[in-house]
Amino acid sequence: MKKRILSFIIITAIILSSISTTLANSENIDPILKETATYITENVKSPTVGSIGGEWAVIGLARSNVEVDSGYYDCYYDNLEKHIEACSGVLHNRKYTEYSRVILAVTAIGKDPRNVGGYNLLIPLGDFEKTVWQGINGPVWALIALDSGSYPIPENKDAKIQATREMYVDYILKRQNNDGGWSLAENMPSEIDVTAMVLQALSNYRHLANVDKAVEKALVLLQNSQNENGGFSLSGTASCESSAQVLTALCMLGIDYDSPEFTKNGKTVLDDVLSYYTGKGFKHTKTGDENLMATEQAFYSLVALERHKNGKSNLYDMTGECESITEIFMRHIISVIELRKRVESH
């Protein structure tokens, strides 16, 4: 009897271990994507402008392979237009990441950020000083937003210094710490999530020798900071968001998450991200319940992986997703011609 019980325990342990290993396999993230998408849509029923419960939910869902009713995106765009009208096109006086985040969401749903309620949301990113005012986040997300649709930086007539992509890249490189990472505030210890977000922004510029050198140095830092669970920490507690940002960065750089360099003790960053999964959403740390911020970031990191795995454009490469001004104009011309034909036929 004891032998049977012992055998049962051993077999059960083997099965559970197998399930855990299978769950961490990138081929099996689709069920998690669907469940998480359900969690997001149920908790963000009316997405609007905001860093939580807003654009990140929309971006993740729009770039995923999960079917979402188009009315969800229409709801967001309607809320955005109302917000734009209420604030007269000024999303924030100082934090220009507000513009970058909205540009990404608008582009993701196939709309044109150069004309939202009559406002061109790209223009603020043409002001170099105001964009970098908030620190590294400003130029990082400005580059990601501008590159999402290969948008040229528009002239900002009110700017003291007209921005260029090269200026933003140079600013970012100058802020790199000696250990290869970046921090939110200048002259502070490197942070995993900030370093990973910078790598996402620089992923389109590795053809430049100085950028490639900076990226390689940062990747070494991440490799050395990976723990035995597959997660990352430099100082403080590892988090779901940090691993999610690293996973997103690796996918955008075209690096397999399970490469030998990013596998520790048989564990990968994907293992760590999934260890925060509750069956509905994701937790910020290993304890507690799921929360929306962690869930949104984990979700779009898995979307980034799904896109990388299937040879699709990366998470933020939405070139061709939105209509150009010419396409919009031609579509309206065709509509007018068709309407005139119908009127004349009667």
Side-chain angles (χ1 to χ4, degrees), residues 136-152:
I136 198 73
N137 264 0
V140 162
W141 289 103
L143 283 177
I144 293 173
L146 290 165
D147 291 344
S148 68
S150 293
Y151 300 117

Side-chain angles (χ1 to χ4, degrees), residues 159-285:
K160 291 183 180 179
I161 302 176
Q162 171 63 39
T164 65
R165 279 176 165 81
E166 292 74 19
M167 291 168 67
Y168 287 141
V169 170
D170 288 343
Y171 179 94
I172 291 170
L173 295 182
K174 288 176 182 177
R175 283 283 304 273
Q176 188 172 28
N177 291 331
N178 291 332
D179 63 4
W182 283 266
S183 57
L184 200 58
E186 198 167 2
N187 300 318
M188 294 296 289
S190 297
E191 300 165 83
I192 293 296
D193 52 351
V194 176
T195 298
M197 286 187 280
V198 170
L199 290 176
Q200 293 165 33
L202 295 180
S203 63
N204 291 322
Y205 301 90
R206 287 197 73 178
H207 60 282
L208 302 174
N210 56 343
V211 173
D212 188 60
K213 182 179 179 181
V215 168
E216 287 297 330
K217 191 174 182 180
L219 287 172
V220 170
L221 173 69
L222 291 181
Q223 291 167 23
N224 294 335
S225 304
Q226 190 173 24
N227 59 42
E228 61 181 9
N229 298 315
F232 300 81
S233 61
L234 282 169
S235 59
T237 307
S239 70
C240 176
E241 292 91 329
S242 291
S243 289
Q245 292 303 330
V246 172
L247 179 57
T248 302
L250 292 179
C251 292
M252 291 185 66
L253 289 166
I255 299 172
D256 291 334
Y257 74 92
D258 56 354
S259 63
E261 296 81 5
F262 285 96
T263 301
K264 299 294 170 62
N265 192 37
K267 298 291 185 178
T268 69
V269 62
L270 178 59
D271 288 299
D272 195 63
V273 170
L274 294 180
S275 70
Y276 296 94
Y277 183 59
T278 67
K280 295 185 293 184
F282 289 77
K283 300 179 289 186
H284 168 61
T285 58

